[in-house]
């Protein structure tokens, strides 16, 4: 029987492979568990635009302390990236480029969304330029656009190239093995796989994203883990010969999602993303639906460049983004000390991968390193209250969500609808009707701001079948 590895890493997304590479670099033996090739359906990494968004994910309503914490970790990852890529190449991977430069375009009425992004960049000593939206090269933005920021240090990376480089570095390493079957469970000392093979290791790192709950007994309660939720995002690759884009262009976060964004790919195509929908049935096999692709198409044409409505679709795919109730990553030891997690990176997994890999490897090589870290797996995580979530502007975000695809209401009508939606959701959560009971049940399962659109739709559907 083969000697147990020092560590088994379950999951072959960017976080899992980054953890494996970091552990190998520190001299440990590692077994990676999960598919090497194939479609990787549902995997967040493979569906990602891979914008390295150090600042552009910030929003006006973000708490200053929370924004400072996240920005500090993103900056640490940003600073680690060049040396990390060089190390991967030295271990047998390919050279991977990170072309720099991101435009953030504020749609009509959203000029203030640029302020926290610009403020954070300047505070960190990074260059930021304010421009008229028409200054964005290669695009014919709508005349109503409110302004733009140029962030010359925010970069991008090609996910296919990055994942291939990480995979090769692991495969070439003499202390690495790779079990390409999917895991079915992970517990102290063992990982069971779909082909009946059992992988043994002294410590196990679960880095399978939204697939982690299915690996755990009783939904992870013995490990003390909080719920891991799934945000479903759909992306597309386009052929758009009329738009020769050289840098990332995105809008600020809106409507419970990252802003609509275009990312140039090395093959000449354009990556298009921007959707995010809470799903309580995290099925990796579910293909993109027409409504999701339609939202992307409408947003890119109405917010970035109307010519993109004539782009041809090369591919569409769905990815599942793992996140927690407090929207912070989940790393480190669980209630079973030999089982660690590295997940819940939400929309920043590709950027944060080298930073989280370093933190997890620190905990394995020096137990206790993460005891005070805000991302530690066993941190207190109070359930958000509906009052707090609605106070974050959820009703206004709901309106933006409903108006995706070019819908329009006057500013006065928008304010009236937002106020009504706020009151209606509070009333439904309090009343004892069938609709109120169903809405409360859904909120109890997913008490996060991303649930607000689902609460709205649920109430409407229940009313329709009465």
């Amino acid at each position: 029987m083969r000697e147990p590895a020092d560590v088994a890493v379950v999951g072959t997304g960017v976080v899992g492979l980054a953890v494996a590479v970091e552990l190998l670099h520190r001299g440990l033996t590692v077994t990676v568990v999960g598919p090497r090739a194939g479609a990787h359906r549902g995997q967040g990494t493979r569906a990602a635009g891979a914008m390295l968004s150090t600042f552009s994910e910030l929003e006006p309503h973000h708490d200053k302390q929370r924004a400072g914490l996240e920005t500090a970790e993103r900056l640490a990852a940003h600073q680690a990236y060049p040396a990390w890529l060089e190390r991967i190449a030295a271990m047998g991977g390919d050279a991977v480029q990170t072309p720099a430069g991101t435009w953030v375009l504020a749609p009509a009425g959203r000029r203030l969304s640029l302020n926290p992004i610009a403020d954070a960049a300047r505070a960190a000593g990074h260059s930021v330029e304010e421009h008229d939206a028409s200054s964005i090269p290669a695009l014919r933005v709508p005349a109503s656009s409110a302004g733009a920021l140029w962030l010359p240090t925010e970069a991008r990376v090609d996910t296919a190239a990055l994942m291939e480089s990480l995979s090769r570095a692991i495969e070439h390493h003499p202390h690495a093995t790779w079990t390409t079957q999917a895991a079915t469970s992970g517990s102290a000392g063992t990982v069971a796989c779909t082909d009946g093979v059992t992988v043994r290791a002294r410590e196990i790192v679960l880095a399978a994203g939204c697939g982690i709950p299915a690996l755990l007994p009783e939904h992870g309660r013995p490990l003390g883990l909080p719920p891991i939720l799934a945000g479903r995002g759909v992306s597309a690759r386009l052929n758009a010969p009329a738009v020769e884009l050289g840098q990332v262009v995105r809008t600020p976060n809106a409507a419970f999602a990252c802003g609509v964004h275009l990312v140039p790919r090395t093959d000449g195509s354009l990556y298009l993303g921007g959707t995010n929908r809470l799903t309580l049935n995290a099925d990796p096999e579910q293909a993109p639906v027409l409504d999701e692709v339609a939202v992307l198409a409408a947003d890119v044409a109405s917010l970035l460049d109307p010519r993109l409505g004539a782009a041809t679709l090369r591919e569409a795919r769905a990815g599942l983004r793992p996140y927690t109730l407090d929207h912070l990553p989940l790393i480190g030891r669980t209630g079973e000390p030999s089982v660690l997690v590295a997940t819940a990176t939400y929309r920043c997994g590709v950027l944060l991968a080298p930073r989280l890999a370093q933190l997890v490897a620190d905990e394995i090589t020096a137990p206790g390193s993460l005891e005070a870290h805000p991302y530690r797996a066993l941190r207190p995580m109070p359930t958000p209250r509906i009052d707090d979530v609605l106070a974050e502007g959820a009703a206004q975000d709901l309106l933006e969500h409903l108006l995706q695809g070019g819908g329009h209401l006057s500013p006065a009508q928008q304010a009236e609808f937002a106020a009504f939606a706020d009151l209606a959701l509070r009333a439904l959560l309090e009343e004892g009707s069938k609709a109120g009971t169903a809405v409360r049940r859904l909120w109890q399962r997913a008490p996060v701001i991303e649930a607000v659109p689902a609460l709205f739709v649920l109430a409407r559907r229940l009313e329709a079948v009465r």
Side-chain angles (χ1 to χ4, degrees):
M1 181 180 293
R2 181 186 298 168
E3 280 290 309
D6 292 322
V7 184
V9 178
V10 180
T12 53
V14 67
V15 173
L17 296 191
V19 168
V21 163
E22 183 67 25
L23 294 171
L24 290 167
H25 173 69
R26 299 193 188 195
L28 280 71
T29 59
V30 176
T31 298
V32 174
V33 181
R36 163 69 168 90
H40 298 278
R41 290 187 178 88
Q43 187 186 91
T45 301
R46 305 283 177 164
M51 300 179 292
L52 304 182
S53 301
T54 317
F55 308 108
S56 56
E57 284 285 310
L58 292 171
E59 302 176 34
H61 69 267
H62 283 169
D63 173 81
K64 286 187 178 181
Q65 183 177 0
R66 163 68 177 272
L69 163 65
E70 293 201 78
T71 300
E73 292 295 336
R74 291 170 187 164
L75 279 167
H78 168 87
Q79 293 161 2
Y81 236 86
W84 183 58
L85 293 178
E86 288 177 7
R87 180 190 303 163
I88 295 167
M91 292 171 66
D94 300 320
V96 177
Q97 304 301 315
T98 55
T102 293
W103 285 95
V104 185
L105 168 67
R110 298 199 58 211
R111 178 64 183 79
L112 293 179
S113 296
L114 301 180
N115 291 347
I117 299 170
D119 291 346
R122 292 187 179 112
H126 285 237
S127 178
V128 57
E129 301 173 10
E130 298 186 30
H131 290 269
D132 184 84
S134 61
S135 301
I136 300 176
L139 288 188
R140 296 178 186 172
V141 302
S144 60
S145 300
L149 294 179
W150 169 241
L151 302 172
T153 62
E154 276 210 356
R156 68 183 190 270
V157 66
D158 187 293
T159 47
L162 176 60
M163 297 304 287
E164 184 61 25
S165 186
L166 283 164
S167 298
R168 289 186 179 185
I170 293 167
E171 289 175 328
H172 286 129
H173 203 284
H175 294 162
T177 56
W178 196 319
T179 298
T180 59
Q181 298 296 314
T184 58
S185 66
S187 57
T190 62
V191 178
C193 301
T194 52
D195 61 354
V197 168
T198 297
V199 173
R200 290 178 171 79
R202 294 178 179 85
E203 297 188 272
I204 294 169
V205 177
L206 301 178
C210 298
I212 289 176
L215 303 176
L216 305 176
E218 297 182 35
H219 307 290
R221 282 192 291 273
L223 300 185
L225 293 177
I228 297 174
L229 304 174
R232 177 179 157 87
V234 165
S235 61
R237 277 201 306 141
L238 311 176
N239 284 332
V243 180
E244 298 182 2
L245 198 64
Q247 296 90 25
V248 171
V249 180
R250 62 167 298 168
T251 61
N253 289 350
F256 313 102
C258 47
V260 62
H261 49 275
L262 288 171
V263 184
R265 291 303 196 209
T266 54
D267 62 1
S269 66
L270 289 178
Y271 171 99
L272 169 63
T275 67
N276 182 64
R277 298 181 179 181
L278 171 73
T279 174
L280 299 178
N281 178 28
D283 180 5
E285 298 298 322
Q286 184 182 351
V289 299
L290 189 59
D291 171 63
E292 292 168 316
V293 178
V295 166
L296 284 176
D299 277 357
V300 75
S302 63
L303 298 179
L304 298 186
D305 191 328
R307 295 176 298 167
L308 289 164
T312 56
L313 182 65
R314 289 179 56 166
E315 175 191 34
R317 66 182 301 159
L320 297 169
R321 305 181 180 106
Y323 66 105
T324 55
L325 298 181
D326 64 6
H327 294 79
L328 294 177
L330 203 63
I331 60 173
R333 297 190 188 277
T334 67
E336 168 49 62
S338 66
V339 178
L340 297 86
V341 291
T343 187
T345 51
Y346 206 15
R347 297 193 293 258
C348 292
V350 178
L351 170 62
L352 290 176
R355 173 62 175 163
L356 298 192
Q358 179 189 51
L359 292 172
V360 171
D362 287 347
E363 176 61 34
I364 288 174
T365 56
S369 298
L370 294 179
E371 283 184 359
H373 197 282
Y375 293 172
R376 65 192 183 280
L378 299 181
R379 65 183 180 267
M381 195 176 298
T383 300
R385 299 185 310 121
I386 186 65
D387 287 351
D388 296 331
V389 168
L390 292 176
E392 292 180 7
Q396 182 62 42
D397 285 348
L398 174 61
L399 179 61
E400 291 181 4
H401 175 79
L402 297 174
L403 293 180
Q404 285 178 319
H408 177 75
L409 288 175
S410 71
Q413 289 173 316
Q414 290 188 36
E416 290 170 355
F417 179 90
F420 175 78
D422 186 287
L423 288 172
L425 287 172
R426 292 177 193 274
L428 277 170
L429 285 163
E430 292 174 359
E431 73 169 28
S433 67
K434 180 180 178 182
T437 300
V439 168
R440 282 197 303 277
R441 186 181 300 119
L442 176 55
W443 175 254
Q444 288 164 1
R445 292 185 64 187
V448 287
I449 194 169
E450 292 84 357
V452 170
L455 297 175
F456 179 84
V457 170
L458 178 60
R460 187 178 60 194
R461 286 177 177 170
L462 287 169
E463 183 64 26
V465 300
R466 285 179 61 179

